[in-house]
Amino acid sequence: MKIGFDAKRYFLNKTGLGNYSRDLIRILEKYAPENEYLKYTPKTGDQYINQPTSQKNIRLPQGFINTTWPNLWRNQRIVQDLKKDKVDIYHGLSGEIPLGLAKAHIKSIVTIHDLIFLRHPELYHPIDRWIYKKKFKHACEASDRIVAISQCTKNDIVDLFHIAEEKIDVVYQGCHEAFKTIKTEEQKSELRNKLKLPKDFLLNVGTIEPRKNILPTVKAIKDIDIPLVIVGKPTRYHREVMDYIRQNNMENRIFFFQGLAMEELAILYASATIFIYPSIYEGFGIPIIEALYSGTPVITSKMGVFPEAGGPTSCYIDPTDIPQIQHAIATLLVDSSKRHEMSEKGLEFVQKFNDDRLAKQWKQQYLTL
């Protein structure tokens, strides 16, 4: 089969949807090499183009109209290129598919990551909400199959877009191979020295924004002697976090980083005493499984998707309840045997997200169309 992908995020997004796209295509190229995988993107950027796997089967817009208006190409005119390439299936990796696929007799699958813009509209500009709803609803209605990245997202699609459950399958995400290898004490020590970090610390990874909700954790450790390392891109919410840190003289206990190399990030996960992820809402929560693969105990939110990603032995809290967060952190810090048990059982649980298992599920998705 020839399978075409909406690869815009593959090439242009460093995290999130970009990681999902790169991991999925990498898994398929390794475990299902009998198919041909074509990557359609309005441009390639410069971050991933030099990787050998990224250079294969790239399709860019051609001609004056398509290169001048790449969004028009991606949303509609791309269908002519798919026909020319004799693509059997088009996979929209980030909630979108172009118009006219059915008329061109091209089967389609769309991955829906989340419907946060409908569950938490206060976090989005009204125009953005309108655009997302229009694109996602069309993709769900027009595609032949829908893949949700969690049962929670599937429930949202059924509830908010009134799509039949039978049209939707759940296929979980994996994560980068860097998190699946054992890190040596030497690697951990070298990175801590480079970043000027202490031996014990809490770790949080994710954009510093209201939905990710890191401020209650900062407040929870005000009277606990443990540093917090936060890795993520700052937004305006970062100012609110910094104001609290300054007001409470915590500047020497909170460390901010962004732009770490994947291998450095993986070593950082493995070095952390506890990983904490107090997000309000996610489609899945990849940082949770990155932590579990790293053998790091996880504290995360008890509602929504988080138990799907964290499994039965992670620690679950109300992300708005500061005393509860404080109690969870303090309890785990003094109980090394509990942390060890969580590490071992978490690593057992997370094997369900291994590449070979995900590849089998994806092969089945394409074969059933």
Side-chain angles (χ1 to χ4, degrees):
M1 285 189 293
K2 275 191 179 180
I3 300 171
F5 293 98
D6 173 11
K8 176 181 176 181
R9 312 290 184 181
Y10 179 106
F11 288 103
L12 302 180
N13 284 48
K14 295 181 180 179
T15 60
L17 297 177
N19 285 338
Y20 174 83
S21 302
R22 288 183 291 274
D23 281 337
L24 174 56
I25 295 175
R26 173 185 58 79
I27 289 168
L28 290 169
E29 288 177 337
K30 179 177 179 179
Y31 289 96
E34 67 274 14
N35 299 321
E36 187 174 0
Y37 304 106
L38 309 181
K39 306 179 187 81
Y40 292 84
T41 179
K43 57 182 180 178
T44 57
D46 57 9
Q47 185 173 12
Y48 300 103
I49 191 64
N50 293 324
Q51 298 180 12
T53 55
S54 298
Q55 295 177 9
K56 294 194 302 186
N57 294 332
I58 298 171
R59 298 292 189 270
L60 295 161
Q62 303 294 322
F64 176 77
I65 294 177
N66 293 338
T67 54
T68 305
W69 293 283
N71 285 337
L72 176 64
W73 172 77
R74 182 169 173 255
N75 295 328
Q76 189 170 348
R77 293 174 64 90
I78 190 175
V79 175
Q80 295 305 312
D81 291 340
L82 300 177
K83 287 169 65 177
K84 190 188 307 177
D85 290 333
K86 297 181 180 178
V87 164
D88 299 296
I89 298 169
Y90 184 79
H91 187 165
L93 293 170
S94 55
E96 302 175 58
I97 60 170
L99 301 171
L101 287 174
K103 189 179 288 188
H105 306 291
I106 298 170
K107 295 290 186 179
S108 60
I109 290 180
V110 65
T111 297
I112 301 294
H113 296 262
D114 60 68
L115 297 180
I116 298 173
F117 61 94
L118 294 177
R119 284 296 185 205
H120 290 276
E122 72 280 2
L123 299 174
Y124 293 82
H125 190 282
I127 293 176
D128 290 335
R129 290 202 308 269
W130 182 84
I131 291 171
Y132 294 152
K133 183 176 181 180
K134 186 177 177 66
K135 285 183 176 182
F136 283 35
K137 195 167 190 295
H138 164 259
C140 287
E141 292 173 345
S143 62
D144 293 289
R145 295 296 299 168
I146 301 167
V147 167
I149 64 167
S150 66
Q151 185 62 44
C152 181
T153 293
K154 177 176 178 175
N155 295 342
D156 282 352
I157 296 167
V158 172
D159 182 33
L160 298 171
F161 285 157
H162 310 295
I163 302 293
E165 287 188 45
E166 297 74 25
K167 187 178 180 179
I168 312 166
D169 290 314
V170 175
V171 180
Y172 289 114
Q173 296 178 252
C175 72
H176 197 279
E177 289 294 298
F179 300 94
K180 301 175 185 178
T181 58
I182 296 173
K183 306 302 185 290
T184 66
E185 289 304 317
E186 183 181 2
Q187 287 176 302
K188 296 176 187 178
S189 178
E190 284 180 2
L191 184 65
R192 286 197 305 267
N193 290 337
K194 177 181 177 179
L195 301 180
K196 296 180 173 56
L197 295 176
K199 190 174 192 318
D200 295 311
F201 59 89
L202 303 180
L203 176 64
N204 170 263
V205 176
T207 305
I208 306 168
E209 61 180 343
R211 178 170 58 86
K212 303 289 187 180
N213 188 47
I214 194 57
L215 183 55
T217 299
V218 175
K219 293 180 178 180
I221 65 166
K222 183 170 77 75
D223 299 318
I224 301 177
D225 185 21
I226 186 74
L228 171 64
V229 174
I230 302 171
V231 181
K233 181 181 177 182
T235 67
R236 282 184 296 179
Y237 177 73
H238 180 255
R239 298 177 199 164
E240 187 179 345
V241 176
M242 285 305 304
D243 285 344
Y244 183 87
I245 291 170
R246 293 189 190 102
Q247 289 163 12
N248 291 275
N249 301 313
M250 298 174 70
E251 291 95 333
N252 64 337
R253 295 177 49 211
I254 313 293
F255 300 82
F256 291 94
F257 300 101
Q258 59 175 318
L260 295 179
M262 191 66 75
E263 185 62 26
E264 288 182 322
L265 184 60
I267 297 170
L268 191 64
Y269 267 98
S271 304
T273 308
I274 299 169
F275 181 75
I276 186 157
Y277 198 67
S279 179
I280 299 296
Y281 188 98
E282 299 287 336
F284 182 54
I286 286 293
I288 294 173
I289 69 167
E290 290 173 343
L292 294 178
Y293 272 117
S294 303
T296 304
V298 170
I299 298 174
T300 189
S301 306
K302 65 183 179 182
M303 73 282 279
V305 74
F306 303 100
E308 286 187 66
T313 56
S314 289
C315 177
Y316 296 101
I317 45 88
D318 178 342
T320 64
D321 188 330
I322 295 169
Q324 193 177 126
I325 298 170
Q326 184 181 49
H327 177 75
I329 293 170
T331 301
L332 284 183
L333 283 176
V334 298
D335 193 344
S336 59
S337 62
K338 180 64 175 176
R339 295 200 309 273
H340 181 72
E341 179 189 6
M342 289 172 67
S343 174
E344 284 195 335
K345 293 188 175 178
L347 193 54
E348 289 176 16
F349 167 78
V350 84
Q351 302 308 308
K352 69 186 287 186
F353 306 116
N354 281 349
D355 289 355
D356 56 342
R357 297 191 187 187
L358 299 180
K360 286 180 184 177
Q361 294 175 60
W362 277 114
K363 286 166 74 172
Q364 189 61 32
Q365 289 294 319
Y366 296 138
L367 288 171
T368 53
L369 282 178

